[in-house]
Amino acid sequence: MSRVLVGVKRVIDYAVKIRVKPDKSGVVTEGVKHSMNPFDEIAVEEAVKLKEKKIASEVVAVSVGPTQAQEVLRTALAMGADRGIHIEVTGKEYDLLQPIHVSKILAKLAQDEKVDLVILGKQAIDDDCNQTAQMTAAMLDWPQAVFASKVDKDGDALTVVREVDGGLETIKAKLPAVISADLRLNTPRYATLPNIMKAKKKPIKKVSAKDLGVDTTPRIEIVSVEDPPVRQAGSVLPDVDTLLAKLRDGGHIK
Amino acid sequence: MFSRCSASLTRSAAQGYRRFQSTLVVAEHNNETLNPITGNAVTAAKKLGGDVTVLVVGTKVGPVSEAAAKLDGVAKVLVAEGDAYKGLLAEAVTPLVLATQNQFKFTHIVAGATAFGKAVLPRIAAKLDVSPISEIIGVKSPDTFVRTVYAGNAIQTIKSKDPVKVLTVRGTNFEPAGSGGSGKVEKAPEGDFASKTTEYVSQELTKSDRPSLTAAKIIISGGRGMKSGDNFKMLYDLADKWGAAVGASRAAVDAGYVPNDLQIGQTGKIVAPELYIAIGISGAIQHLAGMKDSKTIVAINKDPEAPIFQVADYGLVADLFKAVPEINEKC
């Protein structure tokens, strides 16, 4: 196997309590801490591990988004990716960009860059779509191994353990293939200072969606983005007896 | 005058449009029983208006297709049976759904937002060149849907511009369909749909006599505060007394106390039982995303500052190793 393409998305940091804009058009992103989507860190780590095991020869990180997307590409490079590709999409176009557009971009890059494996996170923690890997695989007509918690190379195929509702499932997918990483796939490494410095010298190529021949016409209209309903404040109970009495009164237990 | 005229035209056009809705629900099952989420998906499909057809695909579909035909509101059940569908691989189910779509021209294709639905529907949508919509929690009209983003911290209403709407449905937001239906059972289109690139190898399912997390009326969940897998026995004992399911936070899963499929949260299962008891769970944003629609929430935690108390109806600030055995004893 020669080349691995790994997709990374810049999202609001997972620990941030988001705020909905008063005009209901979206959430506030200006001045809010952003970082790499946690599932994508896992995807990068897996790609770098494949390289360390000499299974992959080159790891190419790609991000679709505004100028700041280059920050997450640098992070991927500091973790061990060899080079980056930035597909710049900004403003309103980026607000309405969906997995279908990103998957078309990734599919085109996978072909252009002659990769054998695409690794993505299972979902972005902002839109919570959980679609891009599946759609990229479909665009390429490649097999998909989604929600992966273990990946082993087995000849010209991958044996992948997937996290499914009732437990785990093992499948065998022929290369080339698309994988989406679940939380349990690995523990991503921290980029060390020397590696962060080295990453500054690694190349990032800038390409537009148009260069790739991908149409980014919006498929949706955002009608509104609102706060979820707030729960009524509850009460702190003094002891177990009171709790059990409340649960009995509520008809929850006998 | 003119504007009134065009408004009424638009309205009648919309009504006409509504009349021609038709929805395909992709059933989920294990060759023996229909996954209850299929019933929730049928309810969502009925809200879209128009006919509801259920597709049952698998290596053995007899009993499941009968159960699907009885779901209230189902007009037709299409069945596809064969070894090609072993493990319900997305690569085999997708061409079957495409062939079915080609023949019947549905306006909507729907499945429950489970590991199966999430794996398969985006692949179908990509092949149809439409943008799928994940985990809807509401249907406003045949093209306008409500879903959550940012771990349930914002509710987004979106209008799809695509000709076919491909949707996954969050089961907890739609009632399960009743059982008064009498759908006709027919054969789905046939063809060589077996995956040539992917092979199902095996499954390792967590065995349990307790109700499944997504169907349980009561869920007792443990977090990092449980300190070990052995300590979960206290929760299992209590669950067995109450007929409850046992869940966990990501911290408890990552620490290896319980298997992954018990994880409740943004990236695990989304549940909304009558009663949710969070034990030794701090209440991180990602966990709350999976349980804050529960009817009654109880939190037992020794840290009075734990964010879980902000969503709990009843909180008990106590050492769980004292409180849980006491509950076990007194109920």
Side-chain angles (χ1 to χ4, degrees):
Chain A
M1 188 155 90
S2 57
R3 212 167 270 153
V4 180
L5 187 70
V6 53
V8 292
K9 184 177 184 183
R10 176 179 177 268
V11 297
I12 292 182
D13 189 84
Y14 74 95
V16 170
K17 175 95 180 77
I18 59 120
R19 278 184 303 135
V20 171
K21 286 184 189 166
D23 69 356
K24 298 186 178 178
S25 64
V27 307
V28 177
T29 54
E30 296 80 19
V32 175
K33 186 185 177 197
H34 281 68
S35 37
M36 190 190 292
N37 179 42
F39 287 96
D40 301 346
E41 288 183 13
I42 297 169
V44 174
E45 175 67 29
E46 197 64 19
V48 172
K49 273 192 173 152
L50 288 172
K51 195 181 166 194
E52 287 167 349
K53 286 187 215 156
K54 311 260 184 249
I55 294 171
S57 61
E58 191 186 26
V59 176
V60 184
V62 55
S63 190
V64 184
T67 315
Q68 299 95 315
Q70 292 195 8
E71 293 160 16
V72 295
L73 281 175
R74 288 288 167 208
T75 308
L77 297 176
M79 287 174 74
D82 297 290
R83 59 189 169 91
I85 301 174
H86 174 213
I87 317 293
E88 189 163 31
V89 180
T90 54
K92 187 83 184 148
E93 196 188 353
Y94 184 62
D95 290 342
L96 293 173
L97 200 77
Q98 291 204 282
I100 187 166
H101 306 117
V102 177
S103 60
K104 283 183 180 181
I105 290 169
L106 293 174
K108 185 68 179 31
L109 284 175
Q111 286 168 327
D112 289 355
E113 299 286 336
K114 298 189 172 49
V115 306
D116 308 289
L117 181 64
V118 179
I119 311 183
L120 306 172
K122 89 162 173 182
Q123 79 192 60
I125 60 163
D126 51 2
D127 62 29
D128 281 334
C129 278
N130 194 332
Q131 298 169 349
T132 307
Q134 295 86 318
M135 298 185 84
T136 305
M139 304 283 180
L140 289 161
D141 244 322
W142 288 3
Q144 65 182 47
V146 292
F147 328 144
S149 63
K150 194 164 181 277
V151 178
D152 285 308
K153 188 156 184 287
D154 183 1
D156 65 344
L158 297 172
T159 301
V160 179
V161 178
R162 302 180 51 223
E163 294 198 11
V164 294
D165 287 337
L168 300 169
E169 176 183 288
T170 306
I171 61 165
K172 212 167 160 176
K174 267 202 187 128
L175 288 164
V178 178
I179 292 176
S180 82
D182 215 319
L183 284 173
R184 252 71 57 178
L185 184 58
N186 59 49
T187 309
R189 70 194 64 189
Y190 288 102
T192 58
L193 190 59
N195 284 344
I196 293 171
M197 299 311 287
K198 260 188 253 167
K200 291 189 181 189
K201 295 203 179 82
K202 292 182 181 175
I204 292 181
K205 185 167 79 176
K206 209 159 134 182
V207 188
S208 75
K210 210 188 250 169
D211 294 339
L212 298 170
V214 174
D215 178 10
T216 52
T217 307
R219 303 302 189 97
I220 56 151
E221 181 190 313
I222 296 175
V223 179
S224 68
V225 177
E226 294 171 52
D227 281 312
V230 182
R231 282 189 82 96
Q232 291 289 325
S235 52
V236 171
L237 307 176
D239 52 34
V240 164
D241 291 325
T242 323
L243 174 62
L244 289 174
K246 290 275 187 197
L247 295 183
R248 284 192 187 104
D249 288 349
H252 293 300
I253 58 167
K254 284 180 197 125
Chain B
M1 173 67 199
F2 179 75
S3 68
R4 197 183 305 153
C5 174
S6 72
S8 74
L9 263 180
T10 323
R11 202 176 312 131
S12 68
Q15 278 164 357
Y17 177 63
R18 189 178 292 258
R19 214 168 294 139
F20 293 112
Q21 306 299 315
S22 61
T23 301
L24 180 70
V25 175
V26 184
E28 178 163 355
H29 65 96
N30 61 0
N31 288 318
E32 285 161 18
T33 52
L34 192 61
N35 185 320
I37 198 162
T38 308
N40 307 98
V42 166
T43 300
K46 282 194 286 187
K47 291 196 173 173
L48 297 163
D51 279 349
V52 178
T53 301
V54 177
L55 174 67
V56 181
V57 44
T59 51
K60 193 167 153 259
V61 298
V64 179
S65 53
E66 279 167 36
K70 285 189 189 122
L71 287 176
D72 192 29
V74 172
K76 190 161 46 176
V77 176
L78 296 171
V79 296
E81 190 172 73
D83 289 340
Y85 305 120
K86 192 175 174 199
L88 290 175
L89 296 167
E91 293 81 349
V93 175
T94 300
L96 168 70
V97 173
L98 294 175
T100 311
Q101 171 64 11
N102 230 347
Q103 187 175 335
F104 297 96
K105 313 281 181 216
F106 297 101
T107 54
H108 296 77
I109 301 176
V110 171
T114 56
F116 167 75
K118 289 173 182 176
V120 177
L121 262 67
R123 190 168 180 111
I124 294 167
K127 289 289 183 191
L128 294 170
D129 193 23
V130 303
S131 180
I133 299 173
S134 296
E135 288 212 45
I136 58 162
I137 61 167
V139 173
K140 291 224 158 153
S141 77
D143 65 359
T144 308
F145 311 100
V146 186
R147 58 184 303 270
T148 66
V149 289
Y150 289 95
N153 288 299
I155 309 232
Q156 191 187 49
T157 304
I158 53 174
K159 190 171 171 178
S160 165
K161 297 178 174 182
D162 283 316
V164 181
K165 279 70 173 170
V166 176
L167 313 161
T168 58
V169 171
R170 185 172 289 175
T172 51
N173 290 80
F174 297 89
E175 293 292 313
S179 59
S182 55
K184 287 179 293 183
V185 178
E186 290 174 18
K187 272 203 162 171
E190 289 179 39
D192 180 18
F193 301 135
S195 170
K196 282 150 193 93
T197 52
T198 318
E199 188 192 326
Y200 168 85
V201 178
S202 63
Q203 257 185 357
E204 201 184 307
L205 300 185
T206 311
K207 287 207 175 64
S208 166
D209 296 330
R210 288 176 208 101
S212 76
L213 272 175
T214 41
K217 287 206 161 54
I218 305 178
I219 295 176
I220 305 172
S221 267
R224 198 196 305 271
M226 295 300 296
K227 295 210 171 106
S228 80
D230 291 340
N231 290 333
F232 264 76
K233 188 174 180 304
M234 294 192 293
L235 306 195
Y236 294 133
D237 291 346
L238 195 53
D240 290 339
K241 273 186 201 166
W242 289 349
V246 172
S249 69
R250 180 186 166 188
V253 172
D254 283 352
Y257 302 167
V258 290
N260 307 346
D261 58 300
L262 296 194
Q263 188 189 326
I264 289 166
Q266 181 185 16
T267 64
K269 291 196 174 66
I270 313 274
V271 298
E274 297 285 322
L275 175 63
Y276 188 90
I277 307 182
I279 301 175
I281 292 177
S282 64
I285 295 170
Q286 291 76 17
H287 185 72
L288 300 183
M291 46 62 79
K292 68 180 177 186
D293 287 335
S294 305
K295 221 166 217 165
T296 303
I297 298 174
V298 172
I300 302 176
N301 204 303
K302 65 180 176 193
D303 174 13
E305 302 299 319
I308 192 78
F309 287 117
Q310 288 164 23
V311 299
D313 299 283
Y314 303 122
L316 191 63
V317 181
D319 180 353
L320 70 92
F321 294 103
K322 288 201 184 90
V324 179
E326 192 182 338
I327 295 171
N328 254 322
E329 201 178 294
K330 288 181 175 169
C331 71

